[in-house]
Amino acid sequence: MATTADLRNGLVIHFNHDLFQVIEFQHVKPGKGNAFVRTKLKSLTSGKVLDNTFSSGAGITPVRVERHKFQFLYKDEVGYNFMNSETFDQVLIDEKLVTAADLMKEGQEVEILINTETEAPLTCELPPFVELTVTYSEPGLKGDTANSPKKAIEVETGARIMVPLFIDEGEKIKVDTRTYEYVERVKS
């Protein structure tokens, strides 16, 4: 049994008959009253994020998880299929467990969080940045440069992203998988 002093970002805990990952936490010590810990928890089964407050020193039940590198193979009607890069075992993951799935292309390296007690996959996370090729881009309007304008483009995976006007079809761009924001052009 651990306490709220052991909380850290990324920790998986058992709470309210479900598994939650700590996204964010803040230890608050008000001038009057007892200290407490404000947390943002993401359910690993439903994907919902909830705010919760623990009193300082309250007991929490951490769950032992391991991160493994997998390679995305393909998507079918059941879910997403991945292959372990070390053992070549294949695993099928439900669509709701994959974050930023529309930015994932075949052969993409991902990290899958696995519960060590049940050997069940919990989540699939893409690297922070991915490089994708622009497949469709509307032409930017010449002279429309006030307030750093952006236009919608489509990348090879089908995702739509807002980019600066100078990005054209066929270019490779770097995209932040957490925010779906354009980062930079990729030099070939």
Side-chain angles (χ1 to χ4, degrees), residues 58-73:
I60 57 170
T61 310
V63 176
R64 224 179 113 213
V65 294
E66 291 179 351
R67 291 181 178 273
H68 290 284
K69 290 220 178 283
F70 280 78
Q71 183 180 18
F72 173 57
L73 297 176

Side-chain angles (χ1 to χ4, degrees), residues 166-168 171-174 182-187:
F166 56 81
I167 301 295
D168 295 318
E171 290 189 59
K172 278 192 126 186
I173 60 171
K174 187 184 274 190
Y182 164 83
V183 177
E184 65 182 359
R185 278 186 187 161
V186 177
K187 287 139 184 99

Side-chain angles (χ1 to χ4, degrees), residues 75-89:
K75 177 186 190 277
D76 56 18
E77 61 277 347
V78 182
Y80 290 87
N81 291 280
F82 297 91
M83 178 181 67
N84 189 322
S85 304
E86 297 160 5
T87 63
F88 303 108
D89 291 337

